[in-house]
């Protein structure tokens, strides 16, 4: 309860509306590469907010793994698989590696039949 709950909801809403939703054009085979390039750049800038939020933190919400970490991990995987440049975001990349290293994450990826390099 309290403000912590609202911060979690705020972060989940940001990931949903600013990251997840913005990937839709990249999955549309009818769109031109020029259009997709525009959305890749748009997404890259949106990831900057998560980069800032991760600054000085072990996880998205602080020192404890929570739902926003799992959701951000998926969005980061999609970025890597869809040529969205996140190379300038060291906190985000560190977060990705940390979540990927979790045994539960590896188990889920194995069950889903995906690996680190693919979406």
């Amino acid at each position: 309860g309290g403000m912590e709950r609202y911060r979690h909801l705020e972060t989940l809403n940001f990931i949903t509306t600013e990251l997840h939703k913005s990937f839709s054009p990249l999955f549309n085979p009818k769109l031109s590469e020029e259009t997709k390039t525009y959305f890749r750049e748009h997404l890259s800038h949106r990831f900057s907010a998560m980069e800032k939020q991760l600054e000085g933190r072990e996880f998205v919400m602080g020192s404890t793994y929570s739902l926003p970490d799992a959701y951000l991990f998926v969005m980061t995987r999609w970025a890597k698989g869809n040529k969205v440049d996140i190379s300038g975001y060291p906190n985000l990349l560190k977060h990705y590696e940390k979540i990927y290293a979790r045994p539960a994450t590896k188990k889920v990826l194995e069950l889903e039949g995906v690996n680190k390099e693919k979406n």
Side-chain angles (χ1 to χ4, degrees):
M3 279 308 288
E4 184 177 345
R5 178 175 185 268
Y6 291 112
R7 293 290 180 227
H8 270 81
L9 292 173
E10 175 183 57
T11 301
L12 288 169
N13 282 328
F14 177 84
I15 294 171
T16 299
T17 60
E18 299 299 323
L19 297 177
H20 191 155
K21 183 179 176 183
S22 296
F23 272 100
S24 294
L26 300 182
F27 293 115
N28 185 339
K30 294 180 181 180
L31 291 181
S32 70
E33 192 57 33
E34 181 180 341
T35 301
K36 289 182 180 186
T37 297
Y38 167 82
F39 281 99
R40 286 182 183 112
E41 291 170 4
H42 171 80
L43 271 161
S44 181
H45 296 297
R46 292 293 185 248
F47 275 108
S48 67
M50 297 311 304
E51 172 71 10
K52 289 176 188 168
Q53 185 159 343
L54 285 164
E55 192 170 300
R57 296 178 175 192
E58 188 173 351
F59 296 103
V60 173
M61 301 309 298
S63 60
T64 305
Y65 178 82
S66 62
L67 183 57
D69 293 294
Y71 201 2
L72 181 59
F73 175 78
V74 173
M75 296 301 99
T76 307
R77 283 184 57 78
W78 285 6
K80 290 173 166 272
N82 285 285
K83 304 177 197 167
V84 175
D85 184 14
I86 56 170
S87 63
Y89 301 127
N91 296 322
L92 185 62
L93 295 172
K94 180 179 170 186
H95 178 268
Y96 174 82
E97 292 299 329
K98 181 182 300 190
I99 304 307
Y100 179 77
R102 294 172 61 88
T105 301
K106 289 183 179 186
K107 176 96 174 160
V108 168
L109 293 174
E110 181 182 320
L111 289 170
E112 292 290 325
V114 296
N115 62 39
K116 186 176 180 180
E117 288 76 36
K118 294 185 179 181
N119 295 358

